[in-house]
């Protein structure tokens, strides 16, 4: 084990999570293997090597798919409440290992320790939700037009669910999918981001142990690691019934096209360009808290991060001054130090995109009220720490129309009524999360109406970031239209079937058609 990883007890964390110097990155349960290239996991906290992972080869992929296909035949026959019991046990293991797993998330990805713990708590919460759901996978009945007939709809397990997850939520998004898919009777094949392979290995080990202790076959939970090629194998394989992909809009379009060619199913959670509207009736203190956390939390690397603040001209200067003051109090540094508010970006490529975005803001005429830049010094030796920036811009700027995964907040002024602000908010291609800060009931209800926010998530007097698992999560337009987590999102993981039963001795046809023999 590398000496460098003893920082903040990371060595002990890795031992608790059964992670070694070199790890196999392919698993069909408790069977671990890999014949692909070696991946190094380096923490953005200080640039140190955490461990290495052998990635999946095409032969490894084929082995996983065969095992998963066989496991599905067994798993789908287990009653849903019994599947829920397995998920309950998995949730309890996450409770037991919440602190070490949360610390690994923080160290490998770079988000604050509190956010790492919160991400594991999301996993626990979705397990609890899924356990209850396992007794409520309902269909419904309807009346037939034919005498002596009964009609109803039911849902069956779908098959193999392929999960492609992003680096910014290295464990939670996988659990949103897999907890629901498992209770629905599906088996899962997970391709995590190659930037955070150790988090996925830790989760797979926990899940595999639970399945093995219950005498279940290998292949219900599966892991593949590697770059985009592994994702391509998955999206092009007809055995993968549903591909759930989280990432950029560019990636989502590729996945959607590949899966559509074989008429498969997709669930897409893609880019966001989220705005908070601040009206003259807003509470400035609440606005400041919501906007700052939304803009700098996870160093601006959430799909729900606040990118745009659309502020009425009457209170624009007050809001700007409050934000500048708040940004002056931000502490940037090691995310495992709970005195710090902002950690690093994921890697130097992300830093490069951040700097390019700052240049584009200036080129288009934007004015920085809080300057950005890369931090230097021993504490920031990874080269991944940047200053959260605030720029005054116009909504139509090209850079504003695109999502930059970094802590850059755009201030946009509006005049007139709330409809003008809504038009600005909706004037981007993405449609994930949105919010309005107001104590005016009419403004709030207008924002939530048919003519209001066009996003999948619309909040009043809270920020754009931080969703609860009870509600369906997802967005419209170039965000992809998918829904994960709560509400009735479970239906995407099942196949729908309409049934008609004739309990008479006659065979009447629908629509009164006569066909006598």
């Amino acid at each position: 084990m590398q000496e460098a990883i003893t920082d903040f007890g990371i060595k002990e964390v890795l031992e608790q999570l059964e992670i070694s110097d070199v790890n196999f990155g392919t698993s069909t349960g408790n069977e671990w293997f890999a014949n692909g290239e070696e991946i190094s996991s380096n923490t953005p906290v200080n640039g140190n090597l955490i461990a290495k992972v052998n990635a999946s080869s095409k032969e490894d992929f084929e082995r996983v798919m065969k095992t998963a296909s066989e496991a599905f035949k067994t798993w789908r026959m287990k009653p849903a409440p019994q599947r829920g019991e397995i998920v309950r046990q998995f949730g309890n293991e996450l409770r037991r290992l919440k602190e070490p797993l949360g610390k690994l998330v923080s160290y490998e990805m770079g988000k604050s320790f509190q956010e790492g713990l919160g991400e594991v708590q999301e996993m626990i919460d979705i397990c609890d939700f899924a356990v209850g759901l396992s007794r409520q996978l309902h269909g419904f009945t309807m009346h037939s037009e034919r005498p002596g007939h009964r009609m109803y709809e039911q849902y069956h397990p779908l098959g193999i669910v392929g999960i492609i997850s992003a680096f910014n939520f290295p464990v939670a998004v996988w659990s949103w999918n897999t907890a629901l898919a498992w209770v629905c009777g599906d088996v899962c094949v997970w391709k995590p981001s190659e930037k955070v392979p150790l988090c996925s290995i830790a989760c797979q080990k926990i899940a595999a142990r639970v399945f093995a202790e219950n005498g279940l076959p290998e292949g219900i939970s599966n892991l593949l690691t590697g770059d985009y090629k592994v994702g391509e194998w998955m999206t092009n394989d007809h055995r993968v019934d549903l591909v759930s992909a989280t990432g950029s809009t560019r990636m989502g379009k590729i996945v959607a096209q590949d899966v559509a060619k074989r008429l498969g199913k997709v669930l897409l959670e893609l880019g966001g360009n989220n705005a908070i509207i601040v009206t003259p009736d807003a509470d400035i203190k609440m606005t400041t808290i919501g906007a700052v956390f939304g803009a700098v939390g996870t160093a601006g690397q959430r799909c729900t991060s606040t990118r745009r603040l659309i502020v009425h001209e009457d209170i624009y200067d007050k809001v700007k001054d409050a934000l500048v003051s708040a940004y002056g109090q931000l502490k940037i540094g090691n995310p495992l130090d709970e005195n710090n508010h902002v950690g690093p970006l994921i890697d130097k490529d992300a830093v490069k995109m951040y700097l390019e975005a700052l240049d584009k803001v200036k080129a288009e005429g934007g004015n920085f009220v809080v300057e950005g830049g890369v931090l230097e010094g021993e504490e920031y030796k990874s080269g991944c720490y940047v200053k959260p920036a605030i720029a005054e811009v116009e909504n139509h700027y090209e850079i504003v129309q695109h999502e930059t995964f970094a802590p850059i907040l755009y201030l946009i002024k509006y005049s007139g009524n709330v409809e003008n602000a809504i038009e600005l908010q909706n004037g981007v291609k993405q449609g994930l999360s949105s919010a309005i800060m107001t104590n005016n009931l009419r403004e709030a209800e207008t924002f939530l109406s048919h003519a209001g926010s066009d996003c999948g998530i619309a909040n009043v007097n809270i920020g754009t970031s931080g969703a609860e698992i009870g509600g369906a999560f997802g967005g419209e337009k170039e965000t992809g239209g998918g829904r994960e987590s709560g509400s009735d999102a479970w239906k995407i993981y099942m196949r729908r079937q309409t049934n008609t039963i004739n309990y008479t001795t006659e065979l009447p046809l629908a629509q009164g058609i006569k066909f006598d023999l």
Side-chain angles (χ1 to χ4, degrees), residues 9-234:
I10 293 298
K11 181 177 180 180
E12 291 74 16
V13 163
L14 297 179
E15 289 174 349
Q16 284 178 276
L17 297 172
E18 300 178 16
I19 292 174
S20 61
D21 283 334
V22 180
N23 304 267
F24 286 129
T26 310
S27 168
T28 57
N30 275 308
E31 293 188 13
W32 291 84
F33 50 94
N35 295 289
E37 63 184 13
E38 192 173 72
I39 299 173
S40 293
S41 177
N42 293 78
T43 172
V45 174
N46 53 24
N48 289 346
L49 174 70
I50 311 176
K52 295 184 177 181
V53 176
N54 290 117
S56 307
S57 67
K58 188 63 184 293
E59 292 72 25
D60 298 332
F61 172 80
E62 188 61 31
R63 179 175 170 182
V64 165
M65 292 303 300
K66 287 181 178 178
T67 306
S69 296
E70 286 301 311
F72 175 60
K73 297 175 183 177
T74 300
W75 183 239
R76 68 183 176 184
M77 299 308 295
K78 185 173 283 291
Q82 292 183 28
R83 299 193 294 258
E85 167 58 18
I86 304 302
V87 174
R88 185 191 68 81
Q89 294 177 32
F90 177 60
N92 283 344
E93 278 296 281
L94 293 174
R95 285 181 171 87
R96 184 176 69 84
L97 295 168
K98 178 179 177 178
E99 184 167 339
L101 185 54
K103 188 168 284 190
L104 177 61
V105 168
S106 177
Y107 195 66
E108 189 175 33
M109 185 267 150
K111 64 176 59 177
S112 74
F113 183 38
Q114 281 300 310
E115 289 183 90
L117 292 174
E119 186 166 345
V120 181
Q121 186 60 50
E122 279 193 61
M123 302 176 77
I124 294 166
D125 292 345
I126 196 65
C127 285
D128 288 349
F129 180 89
V131 172
L133 186 65
S134 69
R135 293 181 181 271
Q136 301 180 63
L137 300 174
H138 56 80
F140 61 92
T141 62
M142 67 283 288
H143 292 281
S144 171
E145 67 184 55
R146 289 168 283 186
H149 286 59
R150 180 168 67 89
M151 295 177 64
Y152 70 98
E153 287 189 351
Q154 61 178 330
Y155 289 84
H156 295 297
L158 185 62
I160 296 177
V161 173
I163 302 166
I164 300 174
S165 62
F167 73 85
N168 59 333
F169 280 85
V171 296
V173 171
W174 168 72
S175 69
W176 289 1
N177 284 274
T178 202
L180 297 192
W182 282 341
V183 299
C184 289
D186 302 325
V187 301
C188 297
V189 179
W190 182 18
K191 189 277 177 197
S193 168
E194 66 272 24
K195 297 180 180 182
V196 284
L198 301 181
C199 288
S200 60
I201 289 172
C203 292
Q204 175 67 4
K205 285 180 179 288
I206 297 168
R209 186 166 58 247
V210 171
F211 283 110
E213 288 173 353
N214 285 274
L216 291 163
E218 309 285 7
I220 299 172
S221 180
N222 304 274
L223 176 66
L224 295 163
T225 57
D227 60 17
Y228 69 94
K229 294 177 185 175
V230 180
E232 287 181 348
W233 300 336
M234 186 182 295

